[in-house]
Amino acid sequence: MSARGCLALACSLLAVGSEAAPPKSKHRIDALQWNPGRECLVDSPSCRTEAEKKLTELLQDKDIDLDLATVIGFGDQSYVAPKGWERITSVGKSDSTTLFYNGTRWKKTAVKTGGSTSGCMVGGEGSYAIISLYHVDFDYNAVMVAANFPPPPNFDQGVEELAAAMRYVSTYSFESSFLLMADTNINQTDEHGSSKELMTRLGARQPDLTVTTDPENTCCLDSGFTSNLDRVVATIGLKFSTQVLFQPTPTWAVGKFHRAIIGSLHMPMLKSQGDVTYV
């Protein structure tokens, strides 16, 4: 599937909140969603420098121990992630979306074509990056989706375009489960903003399995953090724990800076045959 209106970049790098993240378990997937804002990353060199430092700290933090991270605005390739992290990036006219994944424990699904795609949802805006991954140690696999949805009036068209891209990777990688990290540009608490309804519209085969992070007001600094647009959503796993970062707001943040959100997805674990629990 071709990237529409966006520059697709995939490269290997040498290789608080409503509920604090529990101690790390092998049966948990930890995913970050963060949109520092264009004013920070493009218009303010000091904010950009501090944001890059913070992202590196988060990717290296052994207590948080991230598996995945979606960051809006780091698509110009100047940022070098820590050793072991890989990424796929899409660059639009005025935004970019990068999906970082821990390459020591997650690998690309072994298919000749269609294992990943990237592009933009509407007219070079609303960048997204999608890749099918599997865990090297556990039977976890999913189509990972990073996205920066366009706001209304282009939201509905954006959903249709992203659904087609997700269906493309799902079909060619033989994988029906999804994990989405996104600035959705719609509140979870809006009438049609629930994560279950969003995953239904995006074509998830089992939307009733949808689990999601809490609706936290992470957007935006210049409006007093009154919107819950950022979220991590999955059609695998049992439940999310939710953690919000950058509370209090750092002094270097400017403009439409978003607080970051970490979703810790609790995965099933077989304690004994026929006995399933989560940790």
Side-chain angles (χ1 to χ4, degrees):
M1 183 174 188
S2 61
R4 295 179 56 184
C6 277
L7 174 63
L9 300 167
C11 63
S12 295
L13 303 179
L14 292 178
V16 202
S18 62
E19 184 178 347
K24 182 65 178 179
S25 162
K26 294 180 181 179
H27 298 275
R28 214 178 73 222
I29 300 173
D30 294 287
L32 170 78
Q33 162 58 34
W34 186 25
N35 184 356
R38 183 176 178 84
E39 294 92 340
C40 174
L41 300 180
V42 177
D43 301 333
S44 173
S46 60
C47 188
R48 169 77 187 218
T49 297
E50 294 299 325
E52 288 187 351
K53 289 180 181 178
K54 192 60 184 179
L55 178 58
T56 296
E57 291 174 8
L58 289 169
L59 295 179
Q60 292 179 322
D61 192 310
K62 297 301 183 183
D63 293 324
I64 297 175
D65 201 9
L66 290 171
D67 292 275
L68 308 156
T70 289
V71 185
I72 311 301
F74 275 72
D76 56 15
Q77 299 293 294
S78 65
Y79 175 73
V80 179
K83 183 178 179 180
W85 284 88
E86 300 186 6
R87 69 183 177 188
I88 176 172
T89 292
S90 177
V91 180
K93 291 180 180 178
S94 62
D95 75 336
S96 66
T97 297
T98 301
L99 194 164
F100 296 94
Y101 62 96
N102 188 327
T104 62
R105 64 179 69 136
W106 293 92
K107 301 298 181 183
K108 299 176 184 178
T109 302
V111 292
K112 291 183 178 180
T113 186
S116 64
T117 190
S118 56
C120 285
M121 299 184 208
V122 181
E125 304 292 353
S127 51
Y128 62 83
I130 307 172
I131 187 168
S132 180
L133 299 175
Y134 69 92
H135 198 288
V136 298
D137 295 320
F138 301 99
D139 190 22
Y140 306 156
N141 45 79
V143 174
M144 311 299 184
V145 184
N148 184 25
F149 285 67
N154 295 318
F155 178 82
D156 290 340
Q157 182 180 347
V159 170
E160 292 178 3
E161 173 64 22
L162 183 60
M166 290 169 60
R167 183 168 59 250
Y168 169 78
V169 176
S170 175
T171 299
Y172 280 90
S173 63
F174 305 98
E175 179 53 60
S176 60
S177 297
F178 294 103
L179 193 152
L180 168 72
M181 301 152 283
D183 176 353
T184 61
N185 262 306
I186 185 173
N187 287 302
Q188 283 201 61
T189 51
D190 288 350
E191 182 179 0
H192 296 291
S194 76
S195 292
K196 179 179 177 180
E197 181 167 345
L198 179 61
M199 295 307 287
T200 299
R201 294 185 62 187
L202 288 172
R205 298 179 190 177
Q206 296 178 299
D208 288 340
L209 299 180
T210 298
V211 290
T212 186
T213 48
D214 296 334
E216 298 286 352
N217 290 342
T218 56
C219 174
C220 301
L221 173 61
D222 61 359
S223 60
F225 297 108
T226 57
S227 300
N228 47 84
L229 313 176
D230 298 290
R231 66 184 88 175
V232 184
V233 188
T235 58
I236 56 172
L238 298 169
K239 70 170 186 175
F240 273 105
S241 296
T242 306
Q243 184 180 13
V244 177
L245 306 183
F246 306 118
Q247 294 186 121
T249 307
T251 57
W252 45 264
V254 297
K256 295 188 179 300
F257 177 88
H258 292 219
R259 289 172 175 152
I261 191 167
I262 294 176
S264 297
L265 179 61
H266 300 263
M267 299 297 291
M269 180 181 68
L270 287 173
K271 293 178 65 178
S272 60
Q273 188 171 356
D275 185 10
V276 180
T277 187
Y278 63 85
V279 292

